[in-house]
Amino acid sequence: MTEETPDFEEKSDVPSGATADDAAEAAETSEEDSTAPAGDATDVALLAQLDQARTALTERTGDLQRLQAEYQNYRRRVERDRVTVKEIAVASLLSELLPVLDDVGRARDHGELVGGFKSVAESLETVVAKMGLQQFGKEGEPFDPTIHEALMHSYAPDVTETTCVAILQPGYRIGERTIRPARVAVAEPQPGAQAKAEESEDPDKSEKDSE
């Protein structure tokens, strides 16, 4: 006795009665559905790579900015040190010339600055002035211990504060740097002169004191 196996028909996604165009469209749709997940994964990978590139660019930009700032600071330090070294060298050289300038000044005061010596002296003074050397110290100016050196002291009735009454040696500076203070003779008000001056300015006070 022979058993008959029932036939199973293979089902198709294409409905029965569909045309050939319908079958082709169904096949394309099936292919798009199968490739869609792969396309999304590729986009995610590209976005991740883009984020990494942006992060790396930000880090490199920051490194470049820090390096540029350090270089600018280095240039400023070098320039500042160069100026300082130059000022020290010029001040050292001019300090050696101060005795010569003192001799020139004394010769001028005694009327001995004549002839060729006068031309040489004036040329020397012009050169040191171009190098920034400035002379200071005048009679009658208030005494300042930061720029004056008092070698003589006296009292005077016609001063109201400690005053330079004679310049024994002029002072010299370069810019704000003092090479040598001015050596001066100073005079102070006589003891009691300030009280007398106040009494003369306020006669009512002196009358009360006498009463």
Side-chain angles (χ1 to χ4, degrees), residues 173-189:
R173 67 165 64 97
I174 299 177
E176 300 299 326
R177 183 193 298 271
T178 299
I179 297 180
R180 188 183 73 184
R183 293 166 179 168
V184 300
V186 300
E188 289 184 323

Side-chain angles (χ1 to χ4, degrees), residues 29 75 78 102 115 126 160 171 179 185:
T29 303
R75 287 188 60 185
V78 169
D102 291 336
T126 300
T160 58
I179 297 180

Side-chain angles (χ1 to χ4, degrees), residues 97-203:
L97 294 176
L98 295 186
V100 180
L101 295 175
D102 291 336
D103 292 338
V104 170
R106 282 190 290 268
R108 181 179 285 112
D109 293 338
H110 290 85
E112 299 175 357
L113 198 63
V114 294
F117 179 48
K118 179 180 180 181
S119 299
V120 173
E122 291 176 349
S123 297
L124 176 62
E125 290 174 338
T126 300
V127 169
V128 296
K130 287 182 178 180
M131 297 177 69
L133 186 67
Q134 298 176 350
Q135 185 183 104
F136 66 89
K138 295 181 180 180
E139 294 182 6
E141 64 185 7
F143 175 75
D144 184 350
T146 62
I147 60 174
H148 297 135
E149 180 181 353
L151 301 183
M152 298 177 63
H153 176 270
S154 63
Y155 294 97
D158 57 344
V159 297
T160 58
E161 60 181 341
T162 304
T163 305
C164 300
V165 293
I167 306 300
L168 306 179
Q169 277 186 332
Y172 290 96
R173 67 165 64 97
I174 299 177
E176 300 299 326
R177 183 193 298 271
T178 299
I179 297 180
R180 188 183 73 184
R183 293 166 179 168
V184 300
V186 300
E188 289 184 323
Q190 288 183 342
Q194 184 67 26
K196 292 180 180 179
E198 291 178 356
E199 289 178 359
S200 63
E201 292 176 359
D202 189 0

Side-chain angles (χ1 to χ4, degrees), residues 37-55:
D40 292 341
T42 302
D43 293 342
V44 171
L46 291 175
L47 290 175
Q49 292 178 0
L50 181 60
D51 291 338
Q52 292 178 356
R54 288 175 176 172
T55 302

